[in-house]
């Protein structure tokens, strides 16, 4: 294992001696949820902080020497640096964490969390959307809670993609370029101090991979990277892009993630007894874990699978069929024939694990099926999604009715320190207390939230709305200049939005089931809603469509076209290149967060949780997390938002969209807009602020990754660890008896 020092030493040596602790701070991503650390980086050079894309390593590598010398001679700066550095030390050394206190000391990593994408910070663009951000938030909460966990993923040189729009509003996908030497990443070294290289059997060749380590508070995240000189060009490019390429690329990436990731942990001397597969992408690890047990304990494939599976946890994330990986039998044979031969097990036994009908030789191999057949604990990501998944995967357990399917649910959450605005975090600290979210009962939560004065809450929120509008104008201006407008024209055109208007945010991937254009089905009716000069309404949209999703790109184009026409000009803005930074501004500064997926395709959704934590009111169809949040909160006198419709489902998507859009317009006309403009003599919307308090009291502590990770730990990880412990002994005895035979 590497020491923490090895990561930041080269950078530390290049800084003036008094500033060396900045390198330690830059390399631990804990800065991404510690505003005081960010404030230090910003103070060094605010413009550079922005132009580096909020990357403190690149900032420290490129900041002018004068600035460094200045800071090194500035007592105020050094005092703040000492405080922030001491705070990180305290954070890393804290033994009184939730896990430490409840479940014993933080021994060597016991849980490994595998995911194809991780959204930790905008400067490490190895995520595409909600799945990745959830994985990032999972690691951050695991760190805060003291859970012994490591993450495993892939490092993408070209990331997902940068989005810009051409003059017609058509999405252009351009490549990012992630140079690991300029990111908060360190090469993973072997015991000999050289780069650790892993090899994996590929047909007719060997794949070599190196790894990078990101430090997320206490948690290490290992990222595999195939871009090494030993590989042939097509293999070097294997980890170039997240979700790029064809099925052959995908199976190789998933082989690297599951099999390679598992071997990497072994090479590092880590033997995680529980492995969590975040989505089916990582499911090949189930095979590798069995293979290891076959070799170590002399078991058959079936016996080894039984022993291996006890420690496997699987989370499925989508009811959308295209969201599940299927590989042809040929492709499986190409990559697993040798692998299975080595195990002296027919390939057919493997293929059967990924099929609904094990004997159907033509059936494609499904990664979700493999994961479901392997993991001792499987779950969906909201109550509704759990039920939908039980129905969807009945074929995996043909003898059981759906109600008896072993798929449960753990509802997603968000990492509050990463998503709360600084201003709102200060209100939390003052009125809600440090134990917020740790099992307070509803009455206590409501009592504390009630202490926040309406005027205070409204002042803070208005401040965040103002920040959002400033950000949106700057973003738009840069966007227009990229489109070829002269600077003065771009500046003029960016004079949009009304700082006092009801501001509605909508941002997420432009997957078609999310129906980004639902709001625009009846443009005349919408025009009447937003056109009232006494009660103005404006909309901010953002989101990327997958590069191969023409339907999603058309939706973006449609919204951009509308944003250029009356009556939407200046009141409907599309912000390009949605990422975690854009997301933060939006979920912290909007008044209302709109989400209108077609039920039941939104497995959970998390952006609405980020908004709710900031006192933003949700306006959403009853899908994913909102179905259960609404169920719990609907009877409050001032609920934390509105439900579009009653959860009705129609087979005809067109009809569904019509019904849902009618409900949306009616809510805007009759409830949302009037409530926002219902002010007291001091200009404060009293009922609205009561709803905001309900968002804080009822939603933020429940829909958090702190709650979620505790739940995974208690329901899945600890039982997995216990079974695994118990299995070791009998399996061992079994082998002895065999040997005596
Ligand atoms: C939170 C987040 C998402 C997920 O949004 P949903 O509305 O839950 O789909 C996607 N992308 C980014 C950048 C996010 O921060």
């Amino acid at each position: 294992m590497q020491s923490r020092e090895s990561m930041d030493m080269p950078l530390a040596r290049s800084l003036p001696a008094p500033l060396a602790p900045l390198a330690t701070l830059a390399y631990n991503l804990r800065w991404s949820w510690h505003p005081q650390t960010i404030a230090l980086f910003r103070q060094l050079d605010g413009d550079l902080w922005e132009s580096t894309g909020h990357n403190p390593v690149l900032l420290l590598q490129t900041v002018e020497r004068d600035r460094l010398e200045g800071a090194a001679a500035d007592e105020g700066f050094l005092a703040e640096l000492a405080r922030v550095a001491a705070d990180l030390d305290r954070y890393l050394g804290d033994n009184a964490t939730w896990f430490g206190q409840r479940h014993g000391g933080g021994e060597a990593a016991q849980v490994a969390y595998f995911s194809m994408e991780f959204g930790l910070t905008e400067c490490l663009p190895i995520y595409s959307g909600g799945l990745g951000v959830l994985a990032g938030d999972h690691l951050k909460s695991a760190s805060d809670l003291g859970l012994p966990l490591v993450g495993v993923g892939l490092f993408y040189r070209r990331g997902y993609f940068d989005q810009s729009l051409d003059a017609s509003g058509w999405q252009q996908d351009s490549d990012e370029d992630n140079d690991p030497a300029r990111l908060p990443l360190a090469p993973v070294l072997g015991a000999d101090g050289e780069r650790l290289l892993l090899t994996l059997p590929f047909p007719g060749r060997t794949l070599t991979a190196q790894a990078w380590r990101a430090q997320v508070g206490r948690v290490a995240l290992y990222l595999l990277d195939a871009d090494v000189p030993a590989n042939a060009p097509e293999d070097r490019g294997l980890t170039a892009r997240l979700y790029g390429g064809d099925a052959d690329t995908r199976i190789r990436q998933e082989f690297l993630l599951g099999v390679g990731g598992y071997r990497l942990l072994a090479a590092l001397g880590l033997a995680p007894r529980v492995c969590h597969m975040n989505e089916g992408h990582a499911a090949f690890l189930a095979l590798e874990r069995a293979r290891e047990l076959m070799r170590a304990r002399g078991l058959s494939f079936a016996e080894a699978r039984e022993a291996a599976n006890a420690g496997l946890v699987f989370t499925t994330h989508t009811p959308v069929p295209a969201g599940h990986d299927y590989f042809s039998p040929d492709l499986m044979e190409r990559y697993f024939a040798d692998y299975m031969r080595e195990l002296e097990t027919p390939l057919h036994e493997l293929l059967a694990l990924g099929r609904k009908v094990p004997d159907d030789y033509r059936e494609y191999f499904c990664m979700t099926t493999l994961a479901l057949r392997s993991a001792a604990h499987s779950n969906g990501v909201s109550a509704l999604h759990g039920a939908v998944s039980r129905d969807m995967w009945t074929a995996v357990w043909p003898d059981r009715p759906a109600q008896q399917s072993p798929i449960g649910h753990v509802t997603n959450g968000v990492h509050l320190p990463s998503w709360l605005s600084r201003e709102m975090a200060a209100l939390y600290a003052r009125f809600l207390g440090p134990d917020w979210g740790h099992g307070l009962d509803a009455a206590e939560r409501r009592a504390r939230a009630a202490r926040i004065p309406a005027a205070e809450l409204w002042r803070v929120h208005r401040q965040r709305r103002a920040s959002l509008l400033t950000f949106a104008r700057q973003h738009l201006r840069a966007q227009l200049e990229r489109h070829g407008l002269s600077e003065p024209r771009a500046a003029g055109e960016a004079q949009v939005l009304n700082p006092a208007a009801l501001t509605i945010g909508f941002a997420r991937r432009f997957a078609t089931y999310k129906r980004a254009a639902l709001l625009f089905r009846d443009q005349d009716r919408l025009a009447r809603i937003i056109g009232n000069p006494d009660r103005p309404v404006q909309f901010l949209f953002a989101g990327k469509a997958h590069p191969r999703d023409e339907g999603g790109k058309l939706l973006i184009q449609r919204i951009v076209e509308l944003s250029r026409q009356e009556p939407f000009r200046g009141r409907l803005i599309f912000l390009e290149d949605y990422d975690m930074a854009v997301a933060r501004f939006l979920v912290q500064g909007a008044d209302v967060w709109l989400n209108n997926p077609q039920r039941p395709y939104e497995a959970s959704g998390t952006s609405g949780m980020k908004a709710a934590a900031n006192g933003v009111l949700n306006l959403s169809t009853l899908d994913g997390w909102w179905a259960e949040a609404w169920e719990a909160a609907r009877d409050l006198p001032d609920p934390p938002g509105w439900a579009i419709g009653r959860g009705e489902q129609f087979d005809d998507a067109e009809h569904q969209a019509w019904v849902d859009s009618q409900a949306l317009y009616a809510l805007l006309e009759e409830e949302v807009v009037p409530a926002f403009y219902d002010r007291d003599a001091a200009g404060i919307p009293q009922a609205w602020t009561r709803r905001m308090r309900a968002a804080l009291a009822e939603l933020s502590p429940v829909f958090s990754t702190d709650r979620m990770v505790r739940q995974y730990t208690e329901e899945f990880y600890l039982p997995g660890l216990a079974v695994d412990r118990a299995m070791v002994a009998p399996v061992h005895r079994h082998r002895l008896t065999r040997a005596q035979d």
Side-chain angles (χ1 to χ4, degrees):
M1 288 279 288
Q2 298 176 310
S3 66
R4 190 154 52 83
E5 283 72 23
S6 71
M7 221 169 172
D8 47 39
M9 264 330 233
L11 181 58
R13 273 195 298 270
S14 77
L15 297 171
L19 299 187
L22 278 173
T24 311
L25 292 171
Y27 274 99
N28 193 317
L29 292 175
R30 198 245 181 173
W31 61 257
S32 67
W33 69 99
H34 196 249
Q36 293 89 325
T37 313
I38 292 177
L40 266 183
F41 296 137
R42 229 184 245 287
Q43 207 180 320
L44 264 185
D45 190 335
D47 291 339
L48 195 55
W49 175 251
E50 294 303 329
S51 66
T52 57
H54 305 164
N55 175 351
V57 168
L58 184 54
L59 172 99
L60 292 173
Q61 287 171 342
T62 54
V63 63
E64 306 250 340
R65 199 71 202 171
D66 284 358
R67 296 232 181 204
L68 288 175
E69 304 291 354
D74 176 345
E75 277 178 32
F77 187 90
L78 293 179
E80 181 60 11
L81 174 57
R83 275 200 321 134
V84 168
D87 185 81
L88 177 60
D89 282 343
R90 201 164 39 242
Y91 175 84
L92 296 175
D94 183 8
N95 291 320
T97 59
W98 171 80
F99 188 85
Q101 291 182 329
R102 290 283 186 98
H103 303 292
E107 310 144 36
Q110 292 177 316
V111 179
Y113 181 89
F114 286 67
S115 180
M116 194 81 158
E117 47 173 315
F118 285 92
L120 289 155
T121 147
E122 51 273 20
C123 80
L124 194 55
I126 54 170
Y127 62 93
S128 82
L131 179 72
V133 174
L134 178 83
D137 282 4
H138 194 115
L139 299 193
K140 292 171 179 177
S141 276
S143 170
D144 290 345
L145 295 169
L147 176 68
L149 179 140
V150 294
V152 180
L154 300 182
F155 177 69
Y156 305 99
R157 294 273 166 163
R158 309 229 169 274
Y160 187 48
F161 69 94
D162 281 335
Q163 179 195 52
S164 62
L165 303 179
D166 70 11
S168 76
W170 191 251
Q171 174 176 294
Q172 307 293 305
D173 326 322
S174 64
D175 275 342
E176 328 208 20
D177 190 16
N178 299 326
D179 177 356
R182 298 188 159 250
L183 287 168
L185 296 175
V188 173
L189 308 178
D192 56 1
E194 296 293 318
R195 262 190 205 199
L196 189 86
L197 294 178
L198 274 186
T199 53
L200 290 173
F202 267 19
R205 62 196 195 273
T206 298
L207 179 82
T208 305
Q210 59 184 344
W212 304 94
R213 190 175 86 160
Q215 194 63 36
V216 186
R218 289 171 232 267
V219 166
L221 167 62
Y222 295 99
L223 299 169
L224 288 154
D225 174 9
D227 191 5
V228 295
N231 289 328
E234 81 267 24
D235 285 332
R236 280 194 83 154
L238 176 58
T239 46
R241 285 182 190 82
L242 171 61
Y243 306 141
D246 54 8
D248 190 86
T249 305
R250 185 62 79 84
I251 196 173
R252 282 182 295 144
Q253 284 190 339
E254 296 188 359
F255 193 96
L256 179 59
L257 176 65
V259 178
Y262 202 83
R263 289 188 187 175
L264 174 72
L265 295 180
L268 292 169
L270 300 171
R273 299 210 304 269
V274 168
C275 288
H276 188 161
M277 302 174 272
N278 186 46
E279 195 48 294
H281 308 132
F284 289 142
L285 80 82
L287 304 178
E288 182 60 13
R289 194 170 159 90
R291 190 188 78 107
E292 199 189 72
L293 285 168
M294 288 173 80
R295 284 165 41 138
R297 302 189 199 163
L299 305 177
S300 71
F301 187 56
E303 290 167 331
R305 283 206 16 100
E306 197 182 323
N309 293 349
L312 295 183
V313 177
F314 169 55
T315 304
T316 177
H317 282 272
T318 182
V320 178
H324 299 265
D325 286 323
Y326 288 84
F327 297 123
S328 71
D330 283 351
L331 208 48
M332 286 297 293
E333 185 174 357
R334 190 179 312 162
Y335 289 98
F336 283 96
D338 288 345
Y339 188 91
M340 295 308 286
R341 200 170 301 128
E342 209 191 300
L343 299 183
E344 294 173 18
T345 305
L347 181 67
H348 167 70
E349 277 193 42
L350 163 59
L351 294 184
L353 296 174
R355 287 176 171 149
K356 289 180 176 164
V357 182
D359 291 332
D360 179 354
Y361 285 80
R362 282 159 313 174
E363 189 180 326
Y364 272 38
F365 182 92
C366 173
M367 294 297 276
T368 307
T369 304
L370 170 65
L372 289 170
R373 286 198 202 281
S374 302
H377 305 277
S378 293
N379 68 287
V381 290
S382 68
L384 177 60
H385 179 236
V388 169
S389 301
R390 287 190 284 281
D391 275 337
M392 188 169 171
W393 299 100
T394 45
V396 177
W397 299 278
D399 306 335
R400 296 196 200 183
Q403 310 90 280
Q404 284 169 29
S405 154
I407 305 176
H409 81 271
V410 175
T411 304
N412 282 346
V414 296
H415 181 245
L416 294 181
S418 293
W419 293 106
L420 281 180
S421 70
R422 261 191 107 155
E423 294 86 344
M424 196 53 81
L427 280 192
Y428 272 65
R430 250 171 79 201
F431 295 101
L432 305 183
D435 55 347
W436 188 250
H438 281 257
L440 301 178
D441 64 26
E444 175 64 21
R445 293 199 311 252
R446 285 172 197 166
R448 290 194 196 176
R451 282 186 222 144
I452 309 176
E456 191 75 4
L457 191 54
W458 193 240
R459 186 184 59 77
V460 161
H461 178 65
R462 284 182 48 202
Q463 218 172 318
R464 284 316 307 182
R465 189 191 318 122
S467 305
L468 167 61
L469 298 200
T470 306
F471 168 81
R473 287 181 186 142
Q474 282 168 353
H475 203 82
L476 180 64
R477 188 173 159 175
Q479 217 163 284
L480 293 169
E481 283 178 25
R482 270 200 309 276
H483 295 177
L485 261 63
S486 66
E487 269 185 47
R489 253 206 79 203
E493 295 270 319
Q495 288 311 310
V496 292
L497 301 167
N498 172 349
L502 169 60
T503 304
I504 300 183
F506 181 104
R508 46 188 55 85
R509 288 181 307 112
F510 268 56
T512 28
Y513 74 86
K514 291 177 185 264
R515 302 189 301 187
L518 189 79
L519 180 66
F520 306 103
R521 282 182 72 91
D522 185 342
Q523 285 172 34
D524 294 337
R525 191 161 171 192
L526 182 62
R528 285 195 295 278
I529 294 170
I530 68 169
N532 182 339
D534 299 328
R535 303 195 308 192
V537 181
Q538 58 196 2
F539 297 94
L540 288 166
F541 273 68
K544 296 175 177 177
H546 186 278
R548 285 193 299 271
D549 179 7
E550 300 290 303
K553 290 184 187 179
L554 280 168
L555 286 179
I556 292 175
Q557 189 172 43
R558 170 118 189 272
I559 291 169
V560 170
E561 274 169 6
L562 287 172
S563 76
R564 292 173 179 164
Q565 299 165 7
E566 295 303 340
F568 300 107
R569 256 173 77 90
R571 296 173 179 162
L572 164 64
I573 305 297
F574 186 91
L575 299 173
E576 289 177 11
D577 211 23
Y578 183 49
D579 68 357
M580 291 177 73
V582 177
R584 274 199 309 277
F585 273 104
L586 286 167
V587 299
Q588 294 171 358
D591 298 300
V592 168
W593 195 249
L594 174 64
N595 190 21
N596 45 35
Q598 179 182 348
R599 181 176 156 126
Y601 291 108
E602 181 87 315
S604 166
T606 51
S607 64
M609 301 175 186
K610 302 166 192 168
N614 284 287
V616 174
L617 305 185
N618 274 273
L619 171 59
S620 172
T621 45
L622 287 171
D623 199 4
W625 80 286
W626 189 242
E628 68 199 72
W630 182 249
E631 190 53 40
R634 60 182 301 165
D635 293 329
L636 295 172
D638 298 289
W642 295 269
I644 304 170
R646 294 188 197 81
E648 52 278 82
Q649 278 173 233
F650 303 99
D651 289 337
D652 178 359
E654 257 308 299
H655 182 62
Q656 178 90 54
W658 185 82
V659 170
D660 290 345
S661 68
Q662 295 303 307
L664 171 57
Y665 293 131
L667 276 174
L668 287 171
E669 289 159 352
E670 292 157 28
E671 303 211 26
V672 182
V673 180
F676 183 80
Y677 286 106
D678 177 16
R679 306 296 169 94
D680 68 8
I684 294 165
Q686 288 288 344
W688 191 278
T689 54
R690 285 197 297 275
R691 286 176 179 271
M692 291 176 70
R693 283 202 202 92
L696 305 192
E698 315 296 328
L699 304 180
S700 87
V702 177
F703 298 97
S704 75
T705 39
D706 267 19
R707 185 272 310 151
M708 181 191 85
V709 172
R710 289 200 305 262
Q711 203 180 337
Y712 275 115
T713 302
E714 291 182 336
E715 293 180 16
F716 298 162
Y717 299 162
L718 292 171
L721 291 169
V723 175
D724 187 69
R725 258 185 217 112
M727 297 279 291
V728 173
V731 166
H732 190 60
R733 264 204 312 279
H734 179 64
R735 193 176 66 181
L736 287 182
T737 10
R738 250 200 202 163
Q740 281 156 3
D741 291 346

